[in-house]
Amino acid sequence: MGVDILVFWDKLIDRWETRMGLLMTFVFIICLYFFGLKFFEVQISSTLYLLVLPILILILVFITWIVSTNRLFFRNSRKIYVGVIMIFDEEKDRVVINKIVRKVIAKINQSDEFNKNLKLKLLPSNFCAHESQINRYHENFYFMYDLMIRVFVESGNYESIEKIVINKFSVTFRRNSTSWKKRIFYDTIDLTKDMGLLIQSRDWDYVDSNSGFDKKKYLNNFHNVILYYTTFYAIYSNRREVALNILTALYDNSKTIVKIKKREGDKVTFELAPFQMAEARLATILIDLYFDSAIESYHKNDILKAISRLQPLKKLALAPNKRFDLYINLARWNYEIGNLDKAIDYTNRAKSIAPNTVQVYLNLGFFAILNDDIKGFYENFEKLHAIRSNPVINWVDVVDFQYNQLEKFPSKKDFFNFSIAFIEYVFIDQSYRNKFENISHAFEFNERFQCLYKLGKYVLSQPYTLTANNIPRKQRRKEKGNKRKRRY
């Protein structure tokens, strides 16, 4: 009899998360309840003992069941709540895989790197196995889980080897668009394609004869893939600071290093592994998140945070255009916090990448004003005019910046007056011609600024090439509306 009870108890514990387990618990609790009444010789004729108390006990058991199996709970923070569901086609695999997943969930929930931003919960196995079920559940209980990840597990004989294999992953969350594409900064992510690359680059075979190694492999695989999905969800839901923090902790730059496979004279063969392609894609997303966070911090007037967000990018392999933007932004922001030497240094670094650019000439021309360098100012503005047909930045914001600097350095008004009038005429609108002409002619008999008079005369003699089609719509709109801070 004692053995039978222990066997029943083990089955009850093993099936607790299922509806059958709940029914078995109801039966066990009711039997135990009435046995206790009889054992203690309690009068059971009253409605209280026969009906009310048993119903209350069963209600408490039911509440305990739905809470302990994570079917229902009340969240008390702004963390991202992630539900993980394992879908098995063989019951025998459930204990092995769920044990691994529980370890992963506990590790993430207890980690200082992640527990501030997210909370993971494991739901019952095979819960909401069909697409319609998970969609209906998430629609009804969206206030609990932000993101639900289902993992489909298969097992069988593969090439004469018994294996457990992860067949696929599926995610469910609310989004504003039907498209899986989302712009970050430079790049556009696509959850289907990007997560497909990240998942397929990993080995998902679990062989019982190699269980010691494969358990560690699964621990690492599940840990990273769950966090990758959470990162993408955070991006789609515009919680990019959370996405950045998670991805920064996960990214390993050493995995992007490609080893030379063979060297024959001038010919070099590289061996590119799938996981390196996946890490390279993560690096691209991480770079975009750093830039996005930095720009957002700058617009919130937190310049120190903006600079700190760009510092890690110095160690990453950036494409030339991104490294150029990195240095240009650092130049601007360092100037704003009073680090003129660093601003000049970063501008020179940008110049070494792309010397014939508007941003470089504009920066060097501005620094020439601060240094009272007429020759440097003339040379850079002459070069600006030479590339005037490509207005790549918001010139209205630049003018706003220069007016602010004029107030800060009134002794440089001759420089700033020419600079502002030059930009307004050459890069914004032809209607500023008279203003620029008047300022230029004012230097006609000024020996010190003769070069600016000549530059102005030359500019005015050239055909006006800027048209309304050249001016970005956002820039034209800003001329009529409010101005905000800009970067150069």
Side-chain angles (χ1 to χ4, degrees):
M1 180 66 178
V3 174
D4 291 341
I5 292 175
L6 290 175
V7 171
F8 177 81
W9 180 255
D10 287 340
K11 288 183 178 179
L12 184 62
I13 295 298
D14 188 50
R15 298 180 182 178
W16 166 249
E17 64 180 23
T18 66
R19 293 179 181 178
M20 179 58 69
L22 176 64
L23 181 60
M24 291 170 62
T25 304
F26 280 167
V27 173
F28 178 75
I29 291 294
I30 291 300
C31 291
L32 190 65
Y33 171 78
F34 283 107
F35 174 79
L37 290 180
K38 184 177 180 181
F39 181 81
F40 291 104
E41 297 181 350
V42 178
Q43 274 293 341
I44 60 173
S45 58
S46 68
T47 304
L48 176 65
Y49 290 117
L50 281 175
L51 191 61
V52 177
L53 282 179
I55 290 175
L56 289 175
I57 291 171
L58 293 182
I59 289 174
L60 288 174
V61 171
F62 178 73
I63 292 173
T64 303
W65 179 73
I66 61 173
V67 171
S68 65
T69 57
N70 296 319
R71 284 176 166 88
L72 183 66
F73 65 94
F74 297 98
R75 52 193 295 174
N76 55 4
S77 73
R78 290 194 70 255
K79 293 180 180 181
I80 295 175
Y81 278 77
V82 182
V84 180
I85 305 172
M86 307 302 298
I87 310 295
F88 298 97
D89 66 346
E90 295 286 347
E91 181 65 19
K92 61 184 176 64
D93 303 327
R94 183 171 61 84
V95 175
V96 174
I97 302 302
N98 274 356
K99 187 176 181 181
I100 295 173
V101 175
R102 284 193 180 95
K103 284 184 178 180
V104 170
I105 289 175
K107 181 180 179 181
I108 293 173
N109 285 340
Q110 295 167 12
S111 168
D112 292 336
E113 292 175 316
F114 307 117
N115 65 9
K116 293 179 181 178
N117 295 314
L118 64 149
K119 179 76 173 179
L120 270 60
K121 289 179 177 289
L122 181 64
L123 283 99
S125 302
N126 295 331
F127 179 69
C128 295
H130 300 290
E131 196 70 22
S132 60
Q133 292 176 317
I134 192 68
N135 289 334
R136 186 167 59 250
Y137 177 82
H138 194 256
E139 185 68 26
N140 293 333
F141 300 101
Y142 66 89
F143 57 87
M144 292 191 302
Y145 291 106
D146 299 292
L147 169 67
M148 304 196 75
I149 303 172
R150 291 183 301 161
V151 186
F152 293 81
V153 184
E154 293 182 351
S155 62
N157 192 302
Y158 298 85
E159 298 178 351
S160 302
I161 301 175
E162 281 291 329
K163 294 180 183 179
I164 299 173
V165 179
I166 302 300
N167 182 37
K168 70 172 182 177
F169 286 80
S170 174
V171 292
T172 305
F173 62 86
R174 302 183 86 180
R175 51 199 173 104
N176 298 325
S177 171
T178 56
S179 173
W180 284 112
K181 294 182 178 181
K182 177 79 171 180
R183 184 81 177 179
I184 308 179
F185 195 71
Y186 295 99
D187 200 16
T188 298
I189 63 167
D190 185 323
L191 185 143
T192 305
K193 292 181 179 179
D194 289 326
M195 280 306 304
L197 175 63
L198 293 168
I199 290 170
Q200 291 164 18
S201 67
R202 295 174 177 272
D203 180 8
W204 292 103
D205 288 354
Y206 183 98
V207 182
D208 190 57
S209 60
N210 195 34
S211 61
F213 176 80
D214 285 350
K215 280 179 183 177
K216 293 181 180 179
K217 177 179 68 181
Y218 261 42
L219 282 167
N220 181 68
N221 285 359
F222 277 124
H223 177 273
N224 285 16
V225 167
I226 288 172
L227 289 172
Y228 291 152
Y229 270 121
T230 308
T231 298
F232 277 91
Y233 166 77
I235 294 172
Y236 279 94
S237 58
N238 296 319
R239 299 177 67 174
R240 294 183 180 179
E241 282 291 316
V242 174
L244 177 58
N245 292 335
I246 295 173
L247 200 54
T248 299
L250 286 178
Y251 178 69
D252 184 356
N253 190 43
S254 65
K255 291 183 180 179
T256 62
I257 299 173
V258 181
K259 295 181 180 179
I260 296 175
K261 184 179 181 181
K262 189 187 297 183
R263 190 191 297 272
E264 296 178 356
D266 295 333
K267 185 179 179 181
V268 178
T269 305
F270 294 96
E271 185 174 12
L272 186 62
F275 76 88
Q276 290 171 322
M277 296 175 63
E279 288 294 326
R281 180 58 183 153
L282 286 178
T284 300
I285 297 171
L286 183 61
I287 289 166
D288 275 18
L289 288 173
Y290 274 125
F291 272 110
D292 184 80
S293 176
I295 298 299
E296 183 179 0
S297 298
Y298 175 71
H299 288 315
K300 290 180 178 178
N301 295 320
D302 193 347
I303 300 176
L304 291 177
K305 182 179 179 181
I307 292 173
S308 70
R309 278 307 196 194
L310 292 187
Q311 295 303 323
L313 292 176
K314 295 179 181 179
K315 300 177 182 179
L316 299 179
L318 302 182
N321 66 313
K322 294 182 181 180
R323 190 160 293 278
F324 177 84
D325 283 354
L326 168 65
Y327 292 145
I328 284 296
N329 280 302
L330 285 173
R332 169 58 188 262
W333 299 343
N334 272 281
Y335 172 75
E336 291 204 11
I337 61 172
N339 292 333
L340 178 59
D341 290 341
K342 283 189 175 181
I344 294 172
D345 177 59
Y346 283 123
T347 297
N348 287 328
R349 294 190 197 187
K351 182 180 178 181
S352 68
I353 298 170
N356 188 34
T357 53
V358 165
Q359 295 94 326
V360 168
Y361 295 145
L362 189 62
N363 280 18
L364 294 177
F366 174 71
F367 297 141
I369 295 175
L370 300 184
N371 293 324
D372 211 28
D373 179 5
I374 297 174
K375 181 181 178 182
F377 178 83
Y378 166 81
E379 289 175 350
N380 284 287
F381 271 73
E382 183 183 39
K383 292 173 182 176
L384 269 177
H385 182 259
I387 56 173
R388 62 192 180 279
S389 60
N390 185 26
V392 295
I393 61 178
N394 194 314
W395 291 101
V396 175
D397 279 345
V398 174
V399 169
D400 179 44
F401 169 79
Q402 297 226 347
Y403 272 121
N404 291 334
Q405 297 304 303
L406 173 58
E407 292 178 5
K408 189 176 178 181
F409 302 102
S411 63
K412 311 287 186 182
K413 69 175 183 177
D414 288 333
F415 283 106
F416 281 118
N417 286 340
F418 183 90
S419 174
I420 292 168
F422 177 96
I423 292 169
E424 288 175 333
Y425 170 61
V426 175
F427 292 105
I428 296 179
D429 197 278
Q430 192 174 5
S431 63
Y432 290 103
R433 179 183 176 91
N434 289 338
K435 178 182 177 181
F436 178 61
E437 187 174 11
N438 291 336
I439 289 175
S440 298
H441 285 173
F443 295 132
E444 183 177 1
F445 302 107
N446 187 324
E447 185 177 348
R448 186 174 180 229
F449 289 97
Q450 266 295 299
C451 59
L452 299 188
Y453 166 69
K454 292 177 181 178
L455 176 59
K457 188 176 179 180
Y458 171 76
V459 169
L460 291 165
S461 70
Q462 298 301 302
Y464 193 81
T465 58
L466 191 66
T467 66
N469 292 330
N470 296 122
I471 306 173
R473 187 176 302 171
K474 187 176 180 182
Q475 180 170 318
R476 296 199 302 273
R477 196 166 56 236
K478 276 185 165 296
E479 291 181 66
K480 300 177 182 179
N482 294 327
K483 299 174 182 176
R484 73 175 184 180
K485 286 193 175 181
R486 75 276 98 209
R487 62 184 187 277
Y488 75 102

